[in-house]
Amino acid sequence: SLFAYIHDVGRPRVGNGQYHWAVFIAGGANMADALGKHILVELYECDRDILNAHETIKDLMVGAAKAAKATVVTVDFHMFNPYGVSGAVIIAESHLTIHTWPELGYAAVDMFTCGDTCNPHIGMDVLGAALKAGTLNVTEVQRGNLRNLHPAAQQQLAATG
């Protein structure tokens, strides 16, 4: 079964915009029963010039990773013609990705983190503020339900802590 918790915090953590958060937990797992968090973020009413600035988007995504206390491994970003930027920040804890639609003032972002050393919500708050987003819709998915792993994999995970 799929459990969904939706929390509307209204006025925010990000400027004067709206911040909506939903958590989807597969099979009733909680964070202690999952390998990681996958944060899916839709940012609306963003600054269109920023969304079309390749180097700025790259710097903001790296900044979001660092704000979340993630360890940046590598980055790769691409500027589309006539507009839009896509890119990925690979972190030791997993990844962040973005695709922008400057003409619409919209960006789609995700951040997947494993373990408990970083907080992806902090990274998304920083990114939303930097993009001057009017509204953020955030969905959190708990990934890798440990109860669904094969018993041998569960034993190996328990042994490695």
Side-chain angles (χ1 to χ4, degrees), residues 1 6 10 12 15 21 39 43 66 72 77 94 99 105 108 122-123 130 143 150:
S1 69
I6 300 175
W21 176 38
I39 308 296
L43 299 103
K66 290 179 178 180
V72 176
F77 284 78
S94 194
H99 186 77
I122 292 171
R143 302 296 300 266
H150 186 277

Side-chain angles (χ1 to χ4, degrees), residues 26 29-38 92-94 112-118 141-150 153-154 156-158 160-161:
N30 59 43
M31 198 52 226
D33 296 326
L35 290 172
K37 293 180 185 179
H38 199 166
E93 300 80 5
S94 194
F112 184 17
T113 61
C114 298
D116 57 7
T117 60
C118 57
V141 180
Q142 307 302 321
R143 302 296 300 266
N145 185 337
L146 300 179
R147 293 178 292 176
N148 291 337
L149 294 176
H150 186 277
Q154 290 179 4
Q156 180 181 2
L157 186 62
T160 59

Side-chain angles (χ1 to χ4, degrees), residues 4 7-8 15 27 30 36 39-40 54 63 66 68 71 74 84 101 109 125 128 130 147 149:
H7 178 67
D8 179 359
N30 59 43
I39 308 296
L40 309 172
H54 176 270
K66 290 179 178 180
T71 305
T74 191
W101 284 262
V109 178
D125 289 345
R147 293 178 292 176
L149 294 176

Side-chain angles (χ1 to χ4, degrees), residues 37-87:
K37 293 180 185 179
H38 199 166
I39 308 296
L40 309 172
V41 185
E42 296 191 293
L43 299 103
Y44 295 94
E45 303 160 31
C46 298
D47 183 296
R48 292 171 184 225
D49 292 329
I50 294 172
L51 290 180
N52 204 40
H54 176 270
E55 288 299 317
T56 300
I57 292 295
K58 181 168 78 171
D59 292 344
L60 293 176
M61 288 289 286
V62 169
K66 290 179 178 180
K69 303 283 190 238
T71 305
V72 176
V73 176
T74 191
V75 298
D76 190 20
F77 284 78
H78 176 76
M79 180 74 197
F80 288 96
N81 186 12
Y83 35 68
V85 178
S86 285

Side-chain angles (χ1 to χ4, degrees), residues 94-116:
S94 194
H95 72 268
L96 292 79
T97 64
I98 189 169
H99 186 77
T100 70
W101 284 262
E103 72 278 20
L104 303 175
Y106 171 78
V109 178
D110 80 303
M111 184 173 184
F112 184 17
T113 61
C114 298
D116 57 7

